[in-house]
Amino acid sequence: MRLLVAECTVTYRGRLSAHLPRATRLIMFKSDGSVLIHSDGGSYKPLNWMSPPCVVRENTETAEFVVTNKSGETLSIEVHQVHSDNSHELGVDPGLIKDGVEAHLQILLAENLSPLGQGYTLVRREYPTAIGPVDILCKSAQGETVAVEIKRRGEIDGVEQLTRYLELLNRDPLIAPVRGVFAAQEIKPQARTLALDRGISCITLDYEALKGTDDSSLRLF
Amino acid sequence: MRLLVAECTVTYRGRLSAHLPRATRLIMFKSDGSVLIHSDGGSYKPLNWMSPPCVVRENTETAEFVVTNKSGETLSIEVHQVHSDNSHELGVDPGLIKDGVEAHLQILLAENLSPLGQGYTLVRREYPTAIGPVDILCKSAQGETVAVEIKRRGEIDGVEQLTRYLELLNRDPLIAPVRGVFAAQEIKPQARTLALDRGISCITLDYEALKGTDDSSLRLF
DNA sequence: CCGTAAATGTCGTCG
DNA sequence: CGACGACGTTTACGG
């Protein structure tokens, strides 16, 4: 990894055009060819960048870098003044371990359907359909089939997604009628309104409470 | 901006939990308090990070950094061995200039509706409804009202969005019936199929051609 | 390689 | 400050 702190001017041409006027920035060259240009603020997103796979060509005469990828996108970096230029050998990273994403909510809810109500039984998780898998398919105490869509944050998109599944499932006379449940840690008002308008019920999930009922906790770290 | 290249172990606890085993990485401390941890590969997204506003507390005894934000999320960085540690004064960045995003497509199409067909007239751009603004509302040569949804890349979500607008607009007897047009630089096959199934027509837009018809080109850089 | 869905999404805008 | 949609979304996963 090469870290170049320099006054520079940058232009990207590709899916759109973007230009950075002359200023001092950090230019990060990663060993896979990717390049990131960071200012001293903002969030993790660089001002400008090129994702791998790509090739860096350095012109030492003109102090210009041109980074290109296969689709013909280019990132041109004109270096006016170098403040610092250091390279480091970092090696391959062992990578990130995560816990608490949607997949975990799905596993925990499938193991314990009680947030849905009494007497629910699991048909299967990731129930396959022609337009993608339904997160959880189960049956209520009364024997109704119930499709559950799980989100960390419940927004309109998720309701639309569940609606498409329900439409398809209800065309199958073997399992119709199917009722929909929208389950999320947090449900936005507009999503709740749309769901209820379509006869889909909403429940909010408590990840910590779900994890408390799980006998296989403390697995990751 | 402080650039620390070091062997480290990192743990994030917040919306989820995430852990990075011991390895050599770049730790970037920005002047607004934000912290980014990068490996020597992958794309622009750091392995782990904390977004501003947040506070960094350094414990020089234990060689540990703890970064906290208002919501109580924490990022703990345990430093085992320092390879390099440099700070730089970068100043405020003048920021990025962009050209070619959806807003430009919308402006250009509103100025010249000919891609829709002959004799179309603009009612207004960003036509307000209760569930959000319709990109372009116009009338055909035959006097039909037409709602246009513009995307750079046309996918299913965009068709769903236009469908919701059409449903709402068609409830208003003053402007009903309203026909839908899905316009994008590129339309995914599944989105096209869904649109046509719902009686929505699809057109692909050529940004360069649209810009060619625009008298106010070459404004940005 | 395409297509879909998730994301500690982030970022802008508008109320 | 929340809601909502765009993003050079990126990233992971499945066919």
Side-chain angles (χ1 to χ4, degrees), chain B residues 43-44 98 101-102 151-153 161:
Chain B
S43 191
Y44 68 63
K98 286 188 183 184
V101 291
E102 184 195 302
K151 293 282 179 220
R152 217 175 51 70
R153 290 169 54 203
Q161 197 180 336

mmCIF file of all heavy atoms in Angstrom, chain B residues 43-44 98 101-102 151-153 161, chain D residues 1 4-11:
data_model
loop_
_atom_site.group_PDB
_atom_site.id
_atom_site.type_symbol
_atom_site.label_atom_id
_atom_site.label_comp_id
_atom_site.label_asym_id
_atom_site.label_seq_id
_atom_site.Cartn_x
_atom_site.Cartn_y
_atom_site.Cartn_z
ATOM 1 N N SER B 43 -12.467 -2.944 -1.980
ATOM 2 C CA SER B 43 -12.816 -1.723 -2.658
ATOM 3 C C SER B 43 -12.700 -0.554 -1.696
ATOM 4 O O SER B 43 -11.896 -0.591 -0.765
ATOM 5 C CB SER B 43 -14.215 -1.822 -3.236
ATOM 6 O OG SER B 43 -14.451 -0.737 -4.096
ATOM 7 N N TYR B 44 -13.490 0.466 -1.899
ATOM 8 C CA TYR B 44 -13.280 1.669 -1.109
ATOM 9 C C TYR B 44 -13.822 1.567 0.302
ATOM 10 O O TYR B 44 -13.525 2.402 1.146
ATOM 11 C CB TYR B 44 -13.831 2.897 -1.827
ATOM 12 C CG TYR B 44 -15.325 3.022 -1.992
ATOM 13 C CD1 TYR B 44 -16.173 3.129 -0.901
ATOM 14 C CD2 TYR B 44 -15.880 3.094 -3.261
ATOM 15 C CE1 TYR B 44 -17.530 3.287 -1.063
ATOM 16 C CE2 TYR B 44 -17.241 3.243 -3.432
ATOM 17 C CZ TYR B 44 -18.059 3.339 -2.319
ATOM 18 O OH TYR B 44 -19.404 3.511 -2.493
ATOM 19 N N LYS B 98 -20.050 17.121 -10.013
ATOM 20 C CA LYS B 98 -20.566 15.960 -10.735
ATOM 21 C C LYS B 98 -21.356 16.367 -11.963
ATOM 22 O O LYS B 98 -21.940 17.440 -12.002
ATOM 23 C CB LYS B 98 -21.491 15.141 -9.832
ATOM 24 C CG LYS B 98 -20.785 14.336 -8.778
ATOM 25 C CD LYS B 98 -21.785 13.422 -8.089
ATOM 26 C CE LYS B 98 -21.128 12.652 -6.962
ATOM 27 N NZ LYS B 98 -22.070 11.702 -6.350
ATOM 28 N N VAL B 101 -25.845 12.671 -13.581
ATOM 29 C CA VAL B 101 -26.680 11.890 -12.685
ATOM 30 C C VAL B 101 -28.157 12.027 -13.079
ATOM 31 O O VAL B 101 -28.491 12.754 -14.009
ATOM 32 C CB VAL B 101 -26.467 12.314 -11.214
ATOM 33 C CG1 VAL B 101 -25.086 11.911 -10.757
ATOM 34 C CG2 VAL B 101 -26.669 13.804 -11.054
ATOM 35 N N GLU B 102 -29.042 11.339 -12.357
ATOM 36 C CA GLU B 102 -30.450 11.298 -12.731
ATOM 37 C C GLU B 102 -31.067 12.677 -12.874
ATOM 38 O O GLU B 102 -31.873 12.911 -13.771
ATOM 39 C CB GLU B 102 -31.245 10.486 -11.693
ATOM 40 C CG GLU B 102 -32.699 10.327 -12.095
ATOM 41 C CD GLU B 102 -33.581 9.867 -10.935
ATOM 42 O OE1 GLU B 102 -33.293 8.817 -10.377
ATOM 43 O OE2 GLU B 102 -34.558 10.573 -10.631
ATOM 44 N N LYS B 151 -34.926 6.839 -14.476
ATOM 45 C CA LYS B 151 -33.852 6.214 -13.704
ATOM 46 C C LYS B 151 -32.609 6.179 -14.584
ATOM 47 O O LYS B 151 -32.699 6.177 -15.803
ATOM 48 C CB LYS B 151 -34.215 4.766 -13.340
ATOM 49 C CG LYS B 151 -35.360 4.624 -12.379
ATOM 50 C CD LYS B 151 -34.928 4.911 -10.967
ATOM 51 C CE LYS B 151 -36.092 4.793 -10.008
ATOM 52 N NZ LYS B 151 -36.081 5.825 -8.979
ATOM 53 N N ARG B 152 -31.451 6.166 -13.939
ATOM 54 C CA ARG B 152 -30.251 5.923 -14.715
ATOM 55 C C ARG B 152 -30.268 4.439 -15.118
ATOM 56 O O ARG B 152 -30.133 4.101 -16.273
ATOM 57 C CB ARG B 152 -29.010 6.289 -13.916
ATOM 58 C CG ARG B 152 -27.917 6.913 -14.758
ATOM 59 C CD ARG B 152 -26.765 7.354 -13.913
ATOM 60 N NE ARG B 152 -26.336 6.278 -13.048
ATOM 61 C CZ ARG B 152 -25.724 5.192 -13.460
ATOM 62 N NH1 ARG B 152 -25.439 5.036 -14.727
ATOM 63 N NH2 ARG B 152 -25.380 4.265 -12.613
ATOM 64 N N ARG B 153 -30.465 3.585 -14.130
ATOM 65 C CA ARG B 153 -30.606 2.150 -14.399
ATOM 66 C C ARG B 153 -31.995 1.705 -13.986
ATOM 67 O O ARG B 153 -32.372 1.821 -12.832
ATOM 68 C CB ARG B 153 -29.549 1.358 -13.630
ATOM 69 C CG ARG B 153 -28.129 1.570 -14.182
ATOM 70 C CD ARG B 153 -27.091 0.995 -13.248
ATOM 71 N NE ARG B 153 -27.346 -0.408 -12.933
ATOM 72 C CZ ARG B 153 -26.887 -1.004 -11.836
ATOM 73 N NH1 ARG B 153 -26.207 -0.326 -10.958
ATOM 74 N NH2 ARG B 153 -27.128 -2.277 -11.644
ATOM 75 N N GLN B 161 -42.276 1.898 -7.987
ATOM 76 C CA GLN B 161 -42.444 3.306 -7.634
ATOM 77 C C GLN B 161 -43.444 3.971 -8.590
ATOM 78 O O GLN B 161 -44.414 4.602 -8.149
ATOM 79 C CB GLN B 161 -41.071 3.974 -7.738
ATOM 80 C CG GLN B 161 -40.960 5.309 -7.045
ATOM 81 C CD GLN B 161 -39.549 5.886 -7.204
ATOM 82 O OE1 GLN B 161 -38.577 5.156 -7.418
ATOM 83 N NE2 GLN B 161 -39.447 7.198 -7.127
ATOM 84 P P DC D 1 -29.706 16.134 15.314
ATOM 85 O OP1 DC D 1 -28.607 15.826 16.184
ATOM 86 O OP2 DC D 1 -29.483 15.981 13.865
ATOM 87 O "O5'" DC D 1 -30.951 15.254 15.706
ATOM 88 C "C5'" DC D 1 -32.124 15.973 16.161
ATOM 89 C "C4'" DC D 1 -33.319 15.562 15.302
ATOM 90 O "O4'" DC D 1 -33.502 16.538 14.253
ATOM 91 C "C3'" DC D 1 -33.111 14.234 14.588
ATOM 92 O "O3'" DC D 1 -33.937 13.244 15.202
ATOM 93 C "C2'" DC D 1 -33.559 14.469 13.138
ATOM 94 C "C1'" DC D 1 -34.110 15.887 13.144
ATOM 95 N N1 DC D 1 -33.731 16.630 11.908
ATOM 96 C C2 DC D 1 -34.726 16.951 10.979
ATOM 97 O O2 DC D 1 -35.886 16.590 11.198
ATOM 98 N N3 DC D 1 -34.395 17.638 9.857
ATOM 99 C C4 DC D 1 -33.118 18.009 9.657
ATOM 100 N N4 DC D 1 -32.840 18.694 8.551
ATOM 101 C C5 DC D 1 -32.091 17.707 10.592
ATOM 102 C C6 DC D 1 -32.442 17.011 11.698
ATOM 103 P P DC D 4 -41.343 7.973 4.459
ATOM 104 O OP1 DC D 4 -42.772 8.127 4.167
ATOM 105 O OP2 DC D 4 -40.837 6.765 5.129
ATOM 106 O "O5'" DC D 4 -40.543 8.180 3.096
ATOM 107 C "C5'" DC D 4 -40.582 9.466 2.450
ATOM 108 C "C4'" DC D 4 -39.536 9.554 1.376
ATOM 109 O "O4'" DC D 4 -38.288 10.009 1.941
ATOM 110 C "C3'" DC D 4 -39.227 8.227 0.675
ATOM 111 O "O3'" DC D 4 -39.411 8.382 -0.711
ATOM 112 C "C2'" DC D 4 -37.760 7.972 0.992
ATOM 113 C "C1'" DC D 4 -37.242 9.376 1.250
ATOM 114 N N1 DC D 4 -36.028 9.444 2.118
ATOM 115 C C2 DC D 4 -34.988 10.297 1.744
ATOM 116 O O2 DC D 4 -35.093 10.976 0.723
ATOM 117 N N3 DC D 4 -33.872 10.355 2.533
ATOM 118 C C4 DC D 4 -33.802 9.615 3.637
ATOM 119 N N4 DC D 4 -32.708 9.712 4.378
ATOM 120 C C5 DC D 4 -34.869 8.739 4.023
ATOM 121 C C6 DC D 4 -35.956 8.688 3.239
ATOM 122 P P DG D 5 -39.491 7.100 -1.649
ATOM 123 O OP1 DG D 5 -40.769 7.096 -2.377
ATOM 124 O OP2 DG D 5 -39.072 5.914 -0.888
ATOM 125 O "O5'" DG D 5 -38.334 7.442 -2.703
ATOM 126 C "C5'" DG D 5 -38.273 8.746 -3.270
ATOM 127 C "C4'" DG D 5 -36.886 9.010 -3.809
ATOM 128 O "O4'" DG D 5 -35.951 9.183 -2.713
ATOM 129 C "C3'" DG D 5 -36.306 7.891 -4.684
ATOM 130 O "O3'" DG D 5 -35.680 8.460 -5.818
ATOM 131 C "C2'" DG D 5 -35.304 7.202 -3.762
ATOM 132 C "C1'" DG D 5 -34.817 8.374 -2.928
ATOM 133 N N9 DG D 5 -34.287 7.994 -1.626
ATOM 134 C C8 DG D 5 -34.838 7.122 -0.721
ATOM 135 N N7 DG D 5 -34.127 6.992 0.364
ATOM 136 C C5 DG D 5 -33.039 7.823 0.158
ATOM 137 C C6 DG D 5 -31.921 8.097 0.984
ATOM 138 O O6 DG D 5 -31.672 7.641 2.117
ATOM 139 N N1 DG D 5 -31.049 9.001 0.389
ATOM 140 C C2 DG D 5 -31.226 9.578 -0.851
ATOM 141 N N2 DG D 5 -30.293 10.424 -1.258
ATOM 142 N N3 DG D 5 -32.271 9.332 -1.633
ATOM 143 C C4 DG D 5 -33.126 8.448 -1.069
ATOM 144 P P DA D 6 -35.047 7.502 -6.915
ATOM 145 O OP1 DA D 6 -35.606 7.935 -8.199
ATOM 146 O OP2 DA D 6 -35.118 6.084 -6.510
ATOM 147 O "O5'" DA D 6 -33.512 7.945 -6.865
ATOM 148 C "C5'" DA D 6 -33.191 9.307 -7.147
ATOM 149 C "C4'" DA D 6 -31.696 9.545 -6.978
ATOM 150 O "O4'" DA D 6 -31.299 9.277 -5.621
ATOM 151 C "C3'" DA D 6 -30.801 8.668 -7.852
ATOM 152 O "O3'" DA D 6 -29.668 9.435 -8.236
ATOM 153 C "C2'" DA D 6 -30.413 7.531 -6.919
ATOM 154 C "C1'" DA D 6 -30.306 8.261 -5.589
ATOM 155 N N9 DA D 6 -30.578 7.421 -4.424
ATOM 156 C C8 DA D 6 -31.672 6.633 -4.220
ATOM 157 N N7 DA D 6 -31.663 6.001 -3.070
ATOM 158 C C5 DA D 6 -30.476 6.405 -2.480
ATOM 159 C C6 DA D 6 -29.878 6.087 -1.246
ATOM 160 N N6 DA D 6 -30.424 5.258 -0.344
ATOM 161 N N1 DA D 6 -28.691 6.656 -0.971
ATOM 162 C C2 DA D 6 -28.144 7.497 -1.868
ATOM 163 N N3 DA D 6 -28.617 7.866 -3.059
ATOM 164 C C4 DA D 6 -29.798 7.280 -3.297
ATOM 165 P P DC D 7 -28.656 8.832 -9.276
ATOM 166 O OP1 DC D 7 -28.096 9.988 -10.006
ATOM 167 O OP2 DC D 7 -29.273 7.703 -10.002
ATOM 168 O "O5'" DC D 7 -27.521 8.235 -8.319
ATOM 169 C "C5'" DC D 7 -26.857 9.091 -7.392
ATOM 170 C "C4'" DC D 7 -25.785 8.301 -6.669
ATOM 171 O "O4'" DC D 7 -26.366 7.523 -5.600
ATOM 172 C "C3'" DC D 7 -25.007 7.296 -7.533
ATOM 173 O "O3'" DC D 7 -23.627 7.348 -7.191
ATOM 174 C "C2'" DC D 7 -25.574 5.958 -7.101
ATOM 175 C "C1'" DC D 7 -25.840 6.221 -5.650
ATOM 176 N N1 DC D 7 -26.846 5.326 -5.013
ATOM 177 C C2 DC D 7 -26.595 4.815 -3.727
ATOM 178 O O2 DC D 7 -25.531 5.099 -3.170
ATOM 179 N N3 DC D 7 -27.517 4.014 -3.153
ATOM 180 C C4 DC D 7 -28.660 3.723 -3.790
ATOM 181 N N4 DC D 7 -29.530 2.943 -3.176
ATOM 182 C C5 DC D 7 -28.929 4.242 -5.086
ATOM 183 C C6 DC D 7 -28.006 5.033 -5.654
ATOM 184 P P DG D 8 -22.702 8.603 -7.620
ATOM 185 O OP1 DG D 8 -21.666 8.748 -6.607
ATOM 186 O OP2 DG D 8 -23.551 9.752 -8.023
ATOM 187 O "O5'" DG D 8 -21.982 7.988 -8.911
ATOM 188 C "C5'" DG D 8 -22.741 7.555 -10.007
ATOM 189 C "C4'" DG D 8 -22.115 6.339 -10.633
ATOM 190 O "O4'" DG D 8 -20.732 6.611 -10.895
ATOM 191 C "C3'" DG D 8 -22.147 5.104 -9.737
ATOM 192 O "O3'" DG D 8 -22.332 3.928 -10.522
ATOM 193 C "C2'" DG D 8 -20.765 5.105 -9.067
ATOM 194 C "C1'" DG D 8 -19.905 5.708 -10.178
ATOM 195 N N9 DG D 8 -18.785 6.480 -9.628
ATOM 196 C C8 DG D 8 -18.866 7.720 -9.056
ATOM 197 N N7 DG D 8 -17.711 8.178 -8.666
ATOM 198 C C5 DG D 8 -16.808 7.181 -9.007
ATOM 199 C C6 DG D 8 -15.414 7.102 -8.825
ATOM 200 O O6 DG D 8 -14.659 7.931 -8.314
ATOM 201 N N1 DG D 8 -14.895 5.904 -9.307
ATOM 202 C C2 DG D 8 -15.639 4.910 -9.892
ATOM 203 N N2 DG D 8 -14.964 3.839 -10.264
ATOM 204 N N3 DG D 8 -16.953 4.972 -10.062
ATOM 205 C C4 DG D 8 -17.467 6.115 -9.607
ATOM 206 P P DT D 9 -23.954 3.313 -10.528
ATOM 207 O OP1 DT D 9 -23.935 1.921 -11.005
ATOM 208 O OP2 DT D 9 -24.743 4.321 -11.182
ATOM 209 O "O5'" DT D 9 -24.333 3.329 -8.983
ATOM 210 C "C5'" DT D 9 -23.961 2.243 -8.107
ATOM 211 C "C4'" DT D 9 -23.259 2.801 -6.916
ATOM 212 O "O4'" DT D 9 -24.264 3.215 -6.008
ATOM 213 C "C3'" DT D 9 -22.390 1.765 -6.256
ATOM 214 O "O3'" DT D 9 -21.037 2.065 -6.534
ATOM 215 C "C2'" DT D 9 -22.716 1.928 -4.765
ATOM 216 C "C1'" DT D 9 -24.084 2.607 -4.740
ATOM 217 N N1 DT D 9 -25.245 1.776 -4.489
ATOM 218 C C2 DT D 9 -25.342 1.086 -3.301
ATOM 219 O O2 DT D 9 -24.467 1.126 -2.461
ATOM 220 N N3 DT D 9 -26.506 0.368 -3.134
ATOM 221 C C4 DT D 9 -27.559 0.247 -4.008
ATOM 222 O O4 DT D 9 -28.540 -0.410 -3.733
ATOM 223 C C5 DT D 9 -27.397 0.980 -5.250
ATOM 224 C C7 DT D 9 -28.511 0.968 -6.279
ATOM 225 C C6 DT D 9 -26.279 1.696 -5.425
ATOM 226 P P DT D 10 -20.059 0.929 -7.101
ATOM 227 O OP1 DT D 10 -18.847 1.621 -7.563
ATOM 228 O OP2 DT D 10 -20.788 0.044 -8.011
ATOM 229 O "O5'" DT D 10 -19.733 0.097 -5.767
ATOM 230 C "C5'" DT D 10 -19.189 0.756 -4.650
ATOM 231 C "C4'" DT D 10 -19.256 -0.155 -3.436
ATOM 232 O "O4'" DT D 10 -20.636 -0.428 -3.116
ATOM 233 C "C3'" DT D 10 -18.590 -1.516 -3.659
ATOM 234 O "O3'" DT D 10 -17.918 -1.884 -2.459
ATOM 235 C "C2'" DT D 10 -19.773 -2.440 -3.943
ATOM 236 C "C1'" DT D 10 -20.849 -1.835 -3.073
ATOM 237 N N1 DT D 10 -22.231 -2.095 -3.541
ATOM 238 C C2 DT D 10 -23.129 -2.702 -2.691
ATOM 239 O O2 DT D 10 -22.829 -3.048 -1.552
ATOM 240 N N3 DT D 10 -24.383 -2.882 -3.212
ATOM 241 C C4 DT D 10 -24.827 -2.531 -4.469
ATOM 242 O O4 DT D 10 -25.983 -2.752 -4.816
ATOM 243 C C5 DT D 10 -23.845 -1.901 -5.310
ATOM 244 C C7 DT D 10 -24.227 -1.489 -6.700
ATOM 245 C C6 DT D 10 -22.615 -1.719 -4.811
ATOM 246 P P DT D 11 -16.967 -3.140 -2.435
ATOM 247 O OP1 DT D 11 -15.962 -2.844 -1.430
ATOM 248 O OP2 DT D 11 -16.574 -3.478 -3.818
ATOM 249 O "O5'" DT D 11 -17.901 -4.311 -1.905
ATOM 250 C "C5'" DT D 11 -18.540 -4.156 -0.644
ATOM 251 C "C4'" DT D 11 -19.461 -5.328 -0.402
ATOM 252 O "O4'" DT D 11 -20.677 -5.158 -1.156
ATOM 253 C "C3'" DT D 11 -18.888 -6.694 -0.804
ATOM 254 O "O3'" DT D 11 -18.805 -7.523 0.340
ATOM 255 C "C2'" DT D 11 -19.874 -7.225 -1.839
ATOM 256 C "C1'" DT D 11 -21.129 -6.430 -1.538
ATOM 257 N N1 DT D 11 -22.035 -6.247 -2.697
ATOM 258 C C2 DT D 11 -23.372 -6.585 -2.557
ATOM 259 O O2 DT D 11 -23.837 -7.039 -1.531
ATOM 260 N N3 DT D 11 -24.128 -6.370 -3.675
ATOM 261 C C4 DT D 11 -23.696 -5.866 -4.886
ATOM 262 O O4 DT D 11 -24.474 -5.725 -5.817
ATOM 263 C C5 DT D 11 -22.299 -5.539 -4.951
ATOM 264 C C7 DT D 11 -21.735 -4.985 -6.223
ATOM 265 C C6 DT D 11 -21.541 -5.735 -3.870
#
